[in-house]
């Protein structure tokens, strides 16, 4: 069966420190991969998506970057965290473009202090 | 651009009460519409969907009808249970396909009291 792993579940990082969140998918090949963020009082915002290895599309300019070094691995990074990077980060995957194949990970709660 | 507006919570109801969570959207063409649910400590799960006007999505006693004329997709349940306590997200996928993701509302925190 297809599963998605996302870690860590919670993370507290100081301002200016680097960030690396990892997401891996099992049981499928060539998925579309997504990073979403939910900041306090805001909806889920699409940050990045990827349709293949090395292919990254950014939806909003920000202090974050994404990489896809392997087919089923999607990494969210930052060189220097800002307070405004705090939020709930969700990884998701889908196999089609119509929307109803999305599977979400359990999320990472990031608090920048 | 596309956007989704839903009532913000928390919404607190007693068990067996009738539930409505309003959702309206702005989008060109004919987007697909979704409701996702997030139970405490878990990721988002698809609750129901509708892909064209007048479609009704239903699952676990929840229903929502795609209303093109009012650009709405309100979520309803006739009799809620304590286990329905969760955060509910309305979302849309733009028409025309593509790998770009969903546009979500801010989520509605639903609390059901016994």
């Amino acid at each position: 069966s297809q599963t998605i792993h996302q870690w860590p579940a919670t993370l507290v990082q100081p301002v200016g420190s680097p960030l690396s969140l990892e997401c891996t998918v099992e049981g499928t090949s060539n998925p579309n991969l997504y990073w979403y963020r939910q900041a306090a009082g805001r909806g889920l915002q699409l940050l990045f998506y990827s349709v293949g290895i090395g292919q990254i599309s950014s939806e909003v300019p920000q202090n974050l970057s994404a990489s896809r070094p392997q087919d089923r691995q999607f990494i969210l990074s930052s060189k220097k965290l800002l307070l405004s990077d705090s939020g709930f980060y969700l990884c998701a995957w889908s196999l089609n473009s119509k929307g109803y194949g999305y599977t979400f990970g359990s999320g990472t709660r990031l608090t920048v202090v | 651009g596309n956007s989704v507006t839903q009532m913000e919570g928390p919404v607190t109801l007693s068990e067996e009460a009738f539930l409505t969570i309003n959702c309206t959207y702005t989008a060109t063409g004919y987007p697909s519409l979704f409701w996702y649910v997030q139970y405490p400590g878990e990721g988002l799960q698809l609750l129901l969907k509708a892909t064209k006007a007048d479609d009704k999505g239903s699952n676990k006693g929840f229903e929502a009808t795609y209303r093109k004329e009012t650009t709405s997709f309100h979520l309803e349940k006739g009799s809620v249970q304590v286990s329905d306590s969760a955060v509910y997200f309305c979302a849309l996928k733009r028409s025309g396909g593509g790998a770009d993701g969903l546009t979500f509302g801010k989520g509605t925190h639903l609390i059901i009291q016994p």
Side-chain angles (χ1 to χ4, degrees):
Chain A
S1 63
Q2 299 109 347
T3 57
I4 180 168
H5 301 283
Q6 189 179 343
W7 66 93
T10 59
L11 189 60
V12 180
Q13 292 283 98
V15 168
S17 64
L19 172 74
S20 181
L21 300 181
E22 187 166 343
C23 172
T24 59
V25 178
E26 294 180 358
T28 186
S29 297
N30 198 31
N32 297 328
L33 296 174
Y34 304 86
W35 277 112
Y36 284 87
R37 175 175 64 193
Q38 185 178 26
R42 302 184 64 180
L44 281 164
Q45 181 185 37
L46 179 64
L47 301 176
F48 301 96
Y49 69 93
S50 170
V51 299
I53 295 174
Q55 300 179 60
I56 307 295
S57 296
S58 175
E59 289 293 295
V60 293
Q62 59 219 320
N63 184 43
L64 302 168
S65 62
S67 62
R68 184 169 178 175
Q70 301 180 40
D71 180 46
R72 288 172 285 181
Q73 184 184 32
F74 204 25
I75 298 172
L76 183 69
S77 304
S78 174
K79 292 182 179 179
K80 290 185 178 181
L81 284 169
L82 305 172
L83 287 175
S84 58
D85 292 324
S86 294
F88 188 59
Y89 290 82
L90 281 165
C91 181
W93 71 271
S94 73
L95 279 180
N96 59 62
S97 61
K98 296 182 180 179
Y100 30 89
Y102 286 76
T103 300
F104 285 84
S106 55
T108 296
R109 175 73 61 189
L110 172 66
T111 303
V112 182
V113 297
Chain B
N2 298 333
S3 66
V4 175
T5 302
Q6 62 180 105
M7 55 192 299
E8 297 186 39
V11 173
T12 303
L13 296 172
S14 297
E15 203 166 22
E16 299 184 0
F18 183 85
L19 168 72
T20 300
I21 300 178
N22 290 336
C23 171
T24 57
Y25 68 90
T26 301
T28 55
Y30 293 86
S32 296
L33 302 174
F34 309 87
W35 276 100
Y36 279 83
V37 57
Q38 185 178 30
Y39 298 104
E42 300 182 15
L44 271 69
Q45 304 173 26
L46 178 64
L47 180 60
L48 53 84
K49 66 182 187 292
T51 58
K52 61 182 185 294
D54 299 325
D55 266 3
K56 177 185 284 187
S58 61
N59 185 26
K60 299 182 180 179
F62 291 90
E63 294 183 341
T65 301
Y66 189 144
R67 301 290 188 195
K68 181 67 175 176
E69 63 277 11
T70 55
T71 61
S72 64
F73 193 53
H74 305 322
L75 182 68
E76 296 181 336
K77 186 173 184 180
S79 176
V80 293
Q81 306 300 314
V82 172
S83 57
D84 293 326
S85 298
V87 180
Y88 292 80
F89 292 90
C90 186
L92 71 81
K93 177 75 173 82
R94 66 176 178 83
S95 58
D100 52 325
L102 303 172
T103 299
F104 285 89
K106 292 185 179 181
T108 301
H109 187 193
L110 176 65
I111 301 170
I112 307 300
Q113 297 176 333

